[in-house]
Amino acid sequence: MGQIESFSTLPLQQCIPSYLYWEYSDDQDLQAFVTSFNSITQGYTDWFNNTPLGLYTSPNVTGPLLDWIGNGVYGIPRPVLSNQTSFVTAGYNSIPYNTMAPYDGSSFTSSGASSLASDDIYKRMMTWNLYRGDGQMFTMGWLKNRVNRFINGANGSDYEVLNDPPSISVSGNTFTITSFDDSVFTALQELVNARLVSVPFQYNFSFVNISFYNDGGVLWMTAPLNYPTSSVGLSAGAVWYNGGTVAVTPGGSGAGSPVYFGSITAAGLLSLGGGGLPTSNPHNLNQLWNNSGLICISAG
């Protein structure tokens, strides 16, 4: 009678070792060969136990193996991320007269760049399309969960959805998604615009990137999003949005690792805090510093 498969039963953890017949047991060369053979076969066993081929989020599933699983098992090829825009100009009286040759001709122009998605973005995209816990009915909650999971779930991992990022609003049939500007959010925009992640075709999507900018040596942010807008109740060294500038509550060591404008994201600074920023100008180009509670950018 066959054994019933059960997920509570672990697969075989140790391979059945090879061994020498007794009459050859005193041969050191043969013993070394058998030991090496057993080590290699145990390595294969360990790899298969640690790399379930259906679990694409595994850290062992990368590169060509990820492509094979994504395309072969799930039917989702690795996406090409593109910010390319194209323009077609054609037809009589569609452009100013005598600006195109030949008369009543047509032209096609495009600009931008494209690249294959990294393993991390590929896995996040697969989780968006394969996740079933949100149900199949499109709602604001469904969209917010998926966007939040994509932004925060490294390598396609699940993420406990919170009420913070992203901010999503709707007007008519257009959903506007607002989040901190970084490479992951940019990738999401390109995937949504190309309809490579599952979204209803009836709706349009626009994006607002919350980012830093340098205003005469002072760090400004385009909108608060999830930043506190008051210092009340914040811990020492926490950052908050002060009407456009980014402020730091009193306290902190001032001796943290250097943080640079252009490298740190708004989300990253919110998580890091400002307690480690130097409290005097470090005279190091683009390094952030705490100027009596106001985050400034060193000019070098």
Side-chain angles (χ1 to χ4, degrees):
M1 184 175 180
Q3 183 179 2
I4 299 176
E5 182 178 1
S6 171
F7 288 108
S8 64
T9 302
L10 292 175
L12 184 68
Q13 300 297 302
Q14 298 290 327
C15 65
I16 300 174
S18 177
Y19 63 93
L20 280 175
Y21 288 111
W22 178 255
E23 58 263 36
Y24 304 116
S25 61
D26 60 347
D27 190 316
Q28 294 183 353
D29 292 335
L30 291 180
Q31 288 285 16
F33 172 81
V34 170
T35 300
S36 177
F37 177 82
N38 287 335
S39 176
I40 292 172
T41 55
Q42 184 60 46
Y44 286 131
T45 302
D46 292 340
W47 186 90
F48 276 105
N49 283 332
N50 294 324
T51 313
L53 295 184
L55 186 60
Y56 60 86
T57 56
S58 167
N60 294 325
V61 177
T62 61
L65 178 61
L66 176 60
D67 286 283
W68 182 78
I69 293 171
N71 207 2
V73 176
Y74 295 104
I76 303 175
R78 185 184 296 264
V80 174
L81 302 178
S82 174
N83 58 8
Q84 185 171 5
T85 56
S86 302
F87 303 93
V88 177
T89 305
Y92 178 72
N93 203 31
S94 63
I95 59 172
Y97 182 71
N98 202 31
T99 60
M100 181 189 296
Y103 178 73
D104 196 27
S106 64
S107 69
F108 174 83
T109 58
S110 64
S111 62
S114 60
S115 62
L116 279 174
S118 65
D119 285 355
D120 176 37
I121 296 300
Y122 187 14
K123 291 181 178 184
R124 293 179 197 237
M125 170 191 147
M126 291 177 66
T127 295
W128 177 299
N129 289 334
L130 296 170
Y131 198 90
R132 293 295 178 263
D134 302 326
Q136 298 301 301
M137 182 68 68
F138 179 79
T139 62
M140 178 66 82
W142 183 98
L143 179 62
K144 188 170 186 177
N145 288 356
R146 269 172 160 70
V147 172
N148 204 354
R149 193 176 294 115
F150 185 98
I151 291 173
N152 296 291
N155 291 301
S157 59
D158 200 359
Y159 183 81
E160 183 179 354
V161 176
L162 306 174
N163 290 321
D164 292 327
S167 171
I168 302 179
S169 60
V170 59
S171 177
N173 67 339
T174 299
F175 288 83
T176 300
I177 302 171
T178 302
S179 187
F180 294 123
D181 184 23
D182 60 20
S183 59
V184 174
F185 190 45
T186 297
L188 175 61
Q189 296 172 49
E190 293 171 351
L191 290 170
V192 170
N193 289 334
R195 290 303 200 260
L196 292 175
V197 291
S198 300
V199 288
F201 68 89
Q202 302 96 324
Y203 299 112
N204 300 316
F205 297 87
S206 64
F207 301 89
V208 177
N209 297 275
I210 302 300
S211 58
F212 292 140
Y213 64 96
N214 185 344
D215 185 9
V218 177
L219 185 69
W220 280 70
M221 192 165 66
T222 52
L225 194 56
N226 301 305
Y227 270 58
T229 55
S230 169
S231 62
V232 176
L234 297 181
S235 59
V239 295
W240 59 286
Y241 179 87
N242 187 11
T245 62
V246 183
V248 184
T249 58
S253 67
S257 299
V259 179
Y260 293 93
F261 173 76
S263 298
I264 189 72
T265 63
L269 185 60
L270 178 62
S271 176
L272 178 66
L277 300 179
T279 54
S280 60
N281 192 337
H283 297 290
N284 189 10
L285 183 62
N286 288 331
Q287 184 176 347
L288 302 185
W289 62 288
N290 180 358
N291 186 3
S292 300
L294 179 67
I295 297 183
C296 290
I297 304 168
S298 177

